[in-house]
Amino acid sequence: PKNLSTIGKQSFQGCTKVKTIDISAKINSIGDGAFADCANLTSITVDPTNTRYTVEDDCLIDIRENKLLQGLPTSVIPQDGSVTQFGSYCFSGVRITSAVIPEGVQTIADNAFRRCNELVNVSLPSTLKNLSATCFAWCPKLAEINLPEGLERIYTYVFDSCALTNVTIPASIKEVLENINQFDIPELDEIDELGAIETDISSEDFE
């Protein structure tokens, strides 16, 4: 509609027939996850006169909040300071193979990279403080990730059903919301806690 100004949270989630999205100049509010899990989405454009939103490197960005709202399989996350937040579901179901999270980002929102079936490599910034619930859940090819020193909180089911075989917990961690079996990693055979004696732990210890 010509007079549409708001697209609510998860408005088009799971609409697999959506291939392109054109954001008009009048759109001034887009909720998190508005286009989540649109498996065939390949293009997002924004009217150049829209002062709230832009597309940079195939990422839909809220200029006012420096928030990445939606990614595409061809997205390259900007490293120029234009992204300091990630919206919920921003890459959910997107067929990306790698993600470099920019310095300055403190929180990766819930479900941000869930169900990224081709995701193999993730680089996390030194500024990261929080990994929100299920932000990397159900990424079956994600076999390794380095948690940076400075990370303080790991929320529930962050790495549920990933291919991780070990997790290094930095000394800066203040809270893990649920004990370590939240990771649901059948092959998990060790956890290295910085500042403690390295211990081999069988996956049977988490059953």
Side-chain angles (χ1 to χ4, degrees):
K2 291 182 178 181
N3 294 323
L4 183 68
S5 62
T6 299
I7 301 174
K9 293 181 179 180
Q10 299 171 263
S11 293
F12 297 96
Q13 184 172 14
C15 294
T16 57
K17 292 185 178 181
V18 174
K19 295 181 179 180
T20 63
I21 295 170
D22 299 316
I23 308 296
S24 74
K26 292 185 177 181
I27 297 293
N28 57 34
S29 178
I30 300 176
D32 283 6
F35 311 110
D37 301 306
C38 293
N40 295 305
L41 180 62
T42 58
S43 174
I44 302 174
T45 60
V46 176
D47 188 297
T49 62
N50 189 310
T51 59
R52 178 71 186 268
Y53 300 102
T54 189
V55 172
E56 183 177 346
D57 295 329
D58 288 335
C59 297
L60 176 62
I61 297 170
D62 183 330
I63 299 170
R64 187 180 302 170
E65 297 186 9
N66 292 333
K67 179 191 285 189
L68 196 157
L69 290 173
Q70 182 62 47
L72 299 172
T74 52
S75 292
V76 177
I77 300 170
Q79 305 292 314
D80 59 0
S82 60
V83 173
T84 58
Q85 299 184 62
F86 283 76
S88 300
Y89 299 94
C90 59
F91 278 95
S92 180
V94 177
R95 294 186 297 276
I96 54 170
T97 59
S98 64
V100 178
I101 310 302
E103 289 293 326
V105 171
Q106 294 191 7
T107 298
I108 298 179
D110 60 284
N111 299 295
F113 292 89
R114 71 161 199 164
R115 300 193 187 282
C116 289
N117 291 335
E118 303 301 319
L119 185 61
V120 175
N121 298 309
V122 175
S123 176
L124 300 176
S126 62
T127 53
L128 190 66
K129 300 295 184 185
N130 306 294
L131 289 173
S132 300
T134 61
C135 61
F136 290 105
W138 307 295
C139 296
K141 294 185 179 180
L142 184 60
E144 182 178 356
I145 193 166
N146 293 320
L147 303 182
E149 186 61 42
L151 182 66
E152 296 180 352
R153 290 175 178 82
I154 301 174
Y155 289 78
T156 55
Y157 299 100
V158 166
F159 299 113
D160 187 29
S161 300
C162 292
L164 296 174
T165 56
N166 69 77
V167 178
T168 299
I169 306 297
S172 56
I173 285 291
K174 295 179 178 179
E175 191 172 21
V176 176
L177 300 185
E178 283 195 15
N179 58 28
I180 200 67
N181 68 8
Q182 67 161 302
F183 295 122
D184 190 25
I185 305 169
E187 298 83 12
L188 184 65
D189 54 16
E190 68 177 46
I191 299 174
D192 300 336
E193 296 189 13
L194 299 183
I197 298 174
E198 183 173 316
T199 306
D200 290 333
I201 303 175
S202 167
S203 61
E204 294 177 357
D205 294 325
F206 300 105
E207 294 179 353

